[in-house]
Amino acid sequence: MLRALPLASTTVTDPFWAQWQEKMATQGIPHQWRMCEQTGRLENLLRCARGESGGSVGYRFNDSDIYKLLEASSYAVTVGKGAHLKSAIDVAIEATASAQMPDGYVNSHVQLTYPQLRWRSLNAMHEMYCIGHLIEAGVAHHEATRSTALLDVCTKAADHVMATFGPDTRFGYPGHEEIELALVRLSSATRNRKYADYARWLIESRGARPSPYEAELEDAEVVAATPGVRPLFVKDGKYDGAYAQDDLPLREQTRAVGHAVRAMYYYCGALDACGHDQRTTSALEVIWDNLVSKQTYVTGGIGSSGKNEGFTTEYDLPNLDAYAETCAGIGLVFWAWRMFIWSGEFRYVDVLERALYNTVLSGVSLDCTKYFYDNPLESDGQHERKEWFSCACCPPNIARLVMSVGLYAIAEDSGTVSIALPLAGTYQTNVAKLTIESEWPWSGDFSVRVTDLSGLQTLRLRVPDWAGEVTIDGVSATPKDGAVEVTSDWREGEAVRVSLPMRAEWSVANSKVHSCAGRAALSRGPVVYCLEQHDLGALPHRFEADMQGIVGTHTGNDPRNKVALEVEGSLDPEVTKGLYVRNPAAEPGLASARFVPYFSWANRGPNAMQVWVRI
């Protein structure tokens, strides 16, 4: 199995991502810390620390926003962009440590508002979920600083969970998965196998009958404290559980169901904890194949329905009311990377890349201070990013991914180094130091220079599904399973020059995707494009593209928003008088439309937008 590099072994200088990281570290993360203070999230923990009681402010999972922001800030420290965040980090750590109860329990919502419901509502209270994010923050902070201040807190919390639930104590597992993958990270950080073993127990317990949630959903006090939750789990008067992937044991599941973010974290934890079990990995492969072939948007978005924040039926991929939650796209990146590390197959990185450069980055404005929760592929103009949400899981989630993006570039196995995403920067592996020069995602040309040689045998290069062909040092190479291997008697400073064709291309959807009938979507390399009213000067639904009419590109100054595409087509005449007009005299006129990267839409104010345009 491949090994991912530690974040500290990566230095991303990539013009595209360096700008995102700079904006996130200097504007986005400080803005989010202010929001956590202004909305009472930090105060909830401080009140627990002071021994107060009474109603907490906000949702029952608000502690997790603090923890994800701690994780993002720790990554900023690791990559050398977080010195100014030290005070915010220290305050949040002290608040969390002081709020933690003597036995290790910590959850400000329960401690302040529902102390009598502690561990009585696994399906809804998000206690394990929040502790999972606390653990991830603790591990990230320890890796960044070598301090154990937060690691000790999260270890104590993990030990408390393990003392409360287990094969020899009480049977139970989290309603919202997350702690499973976090425990495996903790196991690695502490070199204590018990946490990974416990994560496996949680994974393998899920889907049991009777479910631990069944009794909770009949508890009147619990139901009253969590309104709206019971209908998500109970169908036609019977317990169902699909909403939380609790309908079947994982080994019996064949497709992604329920809440999309929960599902992604579940699959991540399952691969981390049970990747050695063939029945588990076989099930994950089946679920993956169904997801990417029948339930994923062209932008890499998943979870089409806002009703359950998740999956519905195969090919149900509406554009105008697509949910495609930012957190779900982030979760897909996490899962795709794990599938790649486990299998070595670059096809998983193709999906990771599509989600990362489109749905994930759509979730944040170019100045990193405003956010989308959902990411539709069409808008009538009402959709705009907000500076915060009452349920603010997405902003700190995207912050932690942006600051740790270097993790997804390189992996290694013995003498072989695999380049998944050729992000410009330096990467220290066990066998060599790699320096990559590139202008990804705008150019498919990049070079890899190797120094500090210590056993490098092979460079394994991904050939993306959108490229299909590759030239290495001026010679055409034939990829196999999305990869080419370069083997050499490596010399100090030797460079490999790679060229991948990056063409503008149209895609059409499966005929079962009704919302895309008669339409096509434009992409170039990993970037999906869209048509905005700002550029067309008219509502996008009036434009019909000529699929042979891509006439050129426009280069901008922002390295994150560098290439736009000019497309020829026609524009339907505008009808303004009356609701319907019989036998209109006017004919469609020739028009040229400027398409921009989907992730950049709505940065100039609300306006109508389409990814899938008429052809």
mmCIF file of all heavy atoms in Angstrom, residues 42-67:
data_model
loop_
_atom_site.group_PDB
_atom_site.id
_atom_site.type_symbol
_atom_site.label_atom_id
_atom_site.label_comp_id
_atom_site.label_asym_id
_atom_site.label_seq_id
_atom_site.Cartn_x
_atom_site.Cartn_y
_atom_site.Cartn_z
ATOM 1 N N LEU A 42 -17.465 29.867 20.565
ATOM 2 C CA LEU A 42 -16.373 29.826 21.536
ATOM 3 C C LEU A 42 -16.898 30.075 22.948
ATOM 4 O O LEU A 42 -16.447 29.441 23.910
ATOM 5 C CB LEU A 42 -15.314 30.867 21.168
ATOM 6 C CG LEU A 42 -14.030 30.843 21.989
ATOM 7 C CD1 LEU A 42 -13.337 29.491 21.871
ATOM 8 C CD2 LEU A 42 -13.090 31.960 21.539
ATOM 9 N N GLU A 43 -17.870 30.950 23.062
ATOM 10 C CA GLU A 43 -18.429 31.264 24.378
ATOM 11 C C GLU A 43 -19.100 30.048 25.009
ATOM 12 O O GLU A 43 -19.092 29.896 26.237
ATOM 13 C CB GLU A 43 -19.435 32.414 24.255
ATOM 14 C CG GLU A 43 -20.043 32.876 25.581
ATOM 15 C CD GLU A 43 -19.032 33.472 26.545
ATOM 16 O OE1 GLU A 43 -17.916 33.844 26.108
ATOM 17 O OE2 GLU A 43 -19.351 33.564 27.742
ATOM 18 N N ASN A 44 -19.687 29.171 24.199
ATOM 19 C CA ASN A 44 -20.275 27.947 24.750
ATOM 20 C C ASN A 44 -19.241 27.158 25.545
ATOM 21 O O ASN A 44 -19.506 26.688 26.664
ATOM 22 C CB ASN A 44 -20.825 27.066 23.626
ATOM 23 C CG ASN A 44 -22.141 27.561 23.072
ATOM 24 O OD1 ASN A 44 -22.866 28.317 23.725
ATOM 25 N ND2 ASN A 44 -22.473 27.142 21.869
ATOM 26 N N LEU A 45 -18.060 26.999 24.989
ATOM 27 C CA LEU A 45 -16.996 26.270 25.684
ATOM 28 C C LEU A 45 -16.503 27.043 26.897
ATOM 29 O O LEU A 45 -16.232 26.455 27.953
ATOM 30 C CB LEU A 45 -15.840 25.997 24.718
ATOM 31 C CG LEU A 45 -16.109 24.964 23.621
ATOM 32 C CD1 LEU A 45 -15.015 24.990 22.562
ATOM 33 C CD2 LEU A 45 -16.230 23.559 24.217
ATOM 34 N N LEU A 46 -16.388 28.356 26.762
ATOM 35 C CA LEU A 46 -15.924 29.166 27.883
ATOM 36 C C LEU A 46 -16.919 29.116 29.043
ATOM 37 O O LEU A 46 -16.523 29.113 30.225
ATOM 38 C CB LEU A 46 -15.712 30.612 27.430
ATOM 39 C CG LEU A 46 -14.544 30.829 26.456
ATOM 40 C CD1 LEU A 46 -14.572 32.254 25.894
ATOM 41 C CD2 LEU A 46 -13.222 30.554 27.152
ATOM 42 N N ARG A 47 -18.189 29.055 28.731
ATOM 43 C CA ARG A 47 -19.198 28.955 29.794
ATOM 44 C C ARG A 47 -19.092 27.615 30.514
ATOM 45 O O ARG A 47 -19.236 27.542 31.736
ATOM 46 C CB ARG A 47 -20.600 29.133 29.205
ATOM 47 C CG ARG A 47 -20.900 30.558 28.750
ATOM 48 C CD ARG A 47 -22.353 30.666 28.323
ATOM 49 N NE ARG A 47 -23.231 30.353 29.437
ATOM 50 C CZ ARG A 47 -24.415 29.757 29.312
ATOM 51 N NH1 ARG A 47 -24.839 29.373 28.112
ATOM 52 N NH2 ARG A 47 -25.158 29.517 30.365
ATOM 53 N N CYS A 48 -18.858 26.563 29.762
ATOM 54 C CA CYS A 48 -18.633 25.255 30.411
ATOM 55 C C CYS A 48 -17.403 25.319 31.304
ATOM 56 O O CYS A 48 -17.392 24.771 32.411
ATOM 57 C CB CYS A 48 -18.447 24.170 29.355
ATOM 58 S SG CYS A 48 -19.949 23.731 28.455
ATOM 59 N N ALA A 49 -16.376 25.986 30.830
ATOM 60 C CA ALA A 49 -15.144 26.105 31.611
ATOM 61 C C ALA A 49 -15.390 26.849 32.921
ATOM 62 O O ALA A 49 -14.756 26.551 33.941
ATOM 63 C CB ALA A 49 -14.080 26.819 30.789
ATOM 64 N N ARG A 50 -16.334 27.795 32.882
ATOM 65 C CA ARG A 50 -16.649 28.556 34.097
ATOM 66 C C ARG A 50 -17.644 27.833 34.992
ATOM 67 O O ARG A 50 -18.057 28.360 36.029
ATOM 68 C CB ARG A 50 -17.206 29.937 33.712
ATOM 69 C CG ARG A 50 -16.194 30.831 33.008
ATOM 70 C CD ARG A 50 -16.685 32.264 32.912
ATOM 71 N NE ARG A 50 -17.858 32.420 32.062
ATOM 72 C CZ ARG A 50 -17.813 32.765 30.780
ATOM 73 N NH1 ARG A 50 -16.633 32.960 30.184
ATOM 74 N NH2 ARG A 50 -18.923 32.917 30.078
ATOM 75 N N GLY A 51 -18.070 26.656 34.568
ATOM 76 C CA GLY A 51 -19.004 25.878 35.368
ATOM 77 C C GLY A 51 -20.430 26.350 35.287
ATOM 78 O O GLY A 51 -21.258 26.018 36.155
ATOM 79 N N GLU A 52 -20.777 27.087 34.244
ATOM 80 C CA GLU A 52 -22.133 27.610 34.112
ATOM 81 C C GLU A 52 -23.064 26.540 33.556
ATOM 82 O O GLU A 52 -22.632 25.493 33.064
ATOM 83 C CB GLU A 52 -22.130 28.832 33.196
ATOM 84 C CG GLU A 52 -21.328 30.003 33.729
ATOM 85 C CD GLU A 52 -21.342 31.190 32.787
ATOM 86 O OE1 GLU A 52 -22.210 31.223 31.877
ATOM 87 O OE2 GLU A 52 -20.492 32.093 32.942
ATOM 88 N N SER A 53 -24.343 26.818 33.613
ATOM 89 C CA SER A 53 -25.349 25.945 33.017
ATOM 90 C C SER A 53 -26.399 26.820 32.349
ATOM 91 O O SER A 53 -26.394 28.035 32.483
ATOM 92 C CB SER A 53 -25.999 25.048 34.081
ATOM 93 O OG SER A 53 -26.628 25.849 35.076
ATOM 94 N N GLY A 54 -27.301 26.180 31.647
ATOM 95 C CA GLY A 54 -28.305 26.943 30.919
ATOM 96 C C GLY A 54 -28.069 26.840 29.430
ATOM 97 O O GLY A 54 -27.054 26.303 28.978
ATOM 98 N N GLY A 55 -28.993 27.351 28.653
ATOM 99 C CA GLY A 55 -29.019 27.118 27.215
ATOM 100 C C GLY A 55 -27.747 27.496 26.484
ATOM 101 O O GLY A 55 -27.220 28.605 26.642
ATOM 102 N N SER A 56 -27.252 26.592 25.681
ATOM 103 C CA SER A 56 -26.135 26.888 24.797
ATOM 104 C C SER A 56 -26.654 27.651 23.583
ATOM 105 O O SER A 56 -27.850 27.631 23.283
ATOM 106 C CB SER A 56 -25.448 25.596 24.343
ATOM 107 O OG SER A 56 -26.336 24.810 23.564
ATOM 108 N N VAL A 57 -25.752 28.300 22.878
ATOM 109 C CA VAL A 57 -26.120 29.064 21.693
ATOM 110 C C VAL A 57 -25.849 28.220 20.460
ATOM 111 O O VAL A 57 -24.761 27.669 20.298
ATOM 112 C CB VAL A 57 -25.316 30.377 21.613
ATOM 113 C CG1 VAL A 57 -25.628 31.124 20.322
ATOM 114 C CG2 VAL A 57 -25.610 31.245 22.825
ATOM 115 N N GLY A 58 -26.841 28.090 19.589
ATOM 116 C CA GLY A 58 -26.624 27.419 18.317
ATOM 117 C C GLY A 58 -26.937 25.934 18.349
ATOM 118 O O GLY A 58 -27.557 25.412 19.270
ATOM 119 N N TYR A 59 -26.458 25.260 17.303
ATOM 120 C CA TYR A 59 -26.754 23.847 17.113
ATOM 121 C C TYR A 59 -25.936 22.956 18.046
ATOM 122 O O TYR A 59 -24.905 23.366 18.588
ATOM 123 C CB TYR A 59 -26.482 23.435 15.667
ATOM 124 C CG TYR A 59 -27.513 23.944 14.685
ATOM 125 C CD1 TYR A 59 -27.197 24.946 13.773
ATOM 126 C CD2 TYR A 59 -28.799 23.415 14.666
ATOM 127 C CE1 TYR A 59 -28.136 25.409 12.861
ATOM 128 C CE2 TYR A 59 -29.740 23.862 13.757
ATOM 129 C CZ TYR A 59 -29.415 24.862 12.864
ATOM 130 O OH TYR A 59 -30.347 25.323 11.963
ATOM 131 N N ARG A 60 -26.387 21.716 18.163
ATOM 132 C CA ARG A 60 -25.754 20.767 19.066
ATOM 133 C C ARG A 60 -24.371 20.322 18.598
ATOM 134 O O ARG A 60 -23.628 19.730 19.372
ATOM 135 C CB ARG A 60 -26.650 19.539 19.255
ATOM 136 C CG ARG A 60 -27.165 18.924 17.961
ATOM 137 C CD ARG A 60 -28.270 17.908 18.235
ATOM 138 N NE ARG A 60 -28.874 17.370 17.025
ATOM 139 C CZ ARG A 60 -29.904 17.917 16.384
ATOM 140 N NH1 ARG A 60 -30.412 19.058 16.818
ATOM 141 N NH2 ARG A 60 -30.419 17.352 15.315
ATOM 142 N N PHE A 61 -24.026 20.631 17.367
ATOM 143 C CA PHE A 61 -22.724 20.218 16.837
ATOM 144 C C PHE A 61 -21.778 21.398 16.634
ATOM 145 O O PHE A 61 -20.754 21.277 15.959
ATOM 146 C CB PHE A 61 -22.900 19.482 15.503
ATOM 147 C CG PHE A 61 -23.948 20.094 14.602
ATOM 148 C CD1 PHE A 61 -23.698 21.236 13.892
ATOM 149 C CD2 PHE A 61 -25.200 19.491 14.498
ATOM 150 C CE1 PHE A 61 -24.668 21.803 13.076
ATOM 151 C CE2 PHE A 61 -26.183 20.042 13.680
ATOM 152 C CZ PHE A 61 -25.918 21.194 12.962
ATOM 153 N N ASN A 62 -22.082 22.547 17.249
ATOM 154 C CA ASN A 62 -21.280 23.741 16.997
ATOM 155 C C ASN A 62 -19.847 23.638 17.504
ATOM 156 O O ASN A 62 -18.954 24.316 17.001
ATOM 157 C CB ASN A 62 -21.948 24.977 17.600
ATOM 158 C CG ASN A 62 -22.991 25.575 16.663
ATOM 159 O OD1 ASN A 62 -23.306 24.989 15.634
ATOM 160 N ND2 ASN A 62 -23.533 26.714 17.020
ATOM 161 N N ASP A 63 -19.599 22.792 18.499
ATOM 162 C CA ASP A 63 -18.218 22.616 18.960
ATOM 163 C C ASP A 63 -17.311 22.169 17.819
ATOM 164 O O ASP A 63 -16.134 22.518 17.771
ATOM 165 C CB ASP A 63 -18.150 21.568 20.082
ATOM 166 C CG ASP A 63 -18.731 22.048 21.395
ATOM 167 O OD1 ASP A 63 -19.152 23.214 21.472
ATOM 168 O OD2 ASP A 63 -18.768 21.237 22.344
ATOM 169 N N SER A 64 -17.866 21.388 16.899
ATOM 170 C CA SER A 64 -17.039 20.850 15.818
ATOM 171 C C SER A 64 -16.488 21.952 14.926
ATOM 172 O O SER A 64 -15.421 21.785 14.322
ATOM 173 C CB SER A 64 -17.837 19.843 14.978
ATOM 174 O OG SER A 64 -18.903 20.477 14.287
ATOM 175 N N ASP A 65 -17.184 23.084 14.834
ATOM 176 C CA ASP A 65 -16.671 24.192 14.032
ATOM 177 C C ASP A 65 -15.381 24.744 14.634
ATOM 178 O O ASP A 65 -14.433 25.075 13.904
ATOM 179 C CB ASP A 65 -17.717 25.299 13.912
ATOM 180 C CG ASP A 65 -18.998 24.833 13.235
ATOM 181 O OD1 ASP A 65 -18.926 23.889 12.430
ATOM 182 O OD2 ASP A 65 -20.066 25.408 13.523
ATOM 183 N N ILE A 66 -15.354 24.835 15.947
ATOM 184 C CA ILE A 66 -14.136 25.277 16.634
ATOM 185 C C ILE A 66 -13.000 24.293 16.356
ATOM 186 O O ILE A 66 -11.868 24.687 16.049
ATOM 187 C CB ILE A 66 -14.380 25.377 18.149
ATOM 188 C CG1 ILE A 66 -15.406 26.475 18.470
ATOM 189 C CG2 ILE A 66 -13.063 25.625 18.889
ATOM 190 C CD1 ILE A 66 -14.913 27.873 18.269
ATOM 191 N N TYR A 67 -13.301 23.012 16.434
ATOM 192 C CA TYR A 67 -12.254 22.001 16.275
ATOM 193 C C TYR A 67 -11.719 21.956 14.846
ATOM 194 O O TYR A 67 -10.512 21.810 14.619
ATOM 195 C CB TYR A 67 -12.783 20.626 16.693
ATOM 196 C CG TYR A 67 -13.318 20.576 18.106
ATOM 197 C CD1 TYR A 67 -14.369 19.727 18.461
ATOM 198 C CD2 TYR A 67 -12.801 21.398 19.104
ATOM 199 C CE1 TYR A 67 -14.864 19.679 19.751
ATOM 200 C CE2 TYR A 67 -13.293 21.369 20.405
ATOM 201 C CZ TYR A 67 -14.333 20.505 20.713
ATOM 202 O OH TYR A 67 -14.818 20.466 22.000
#
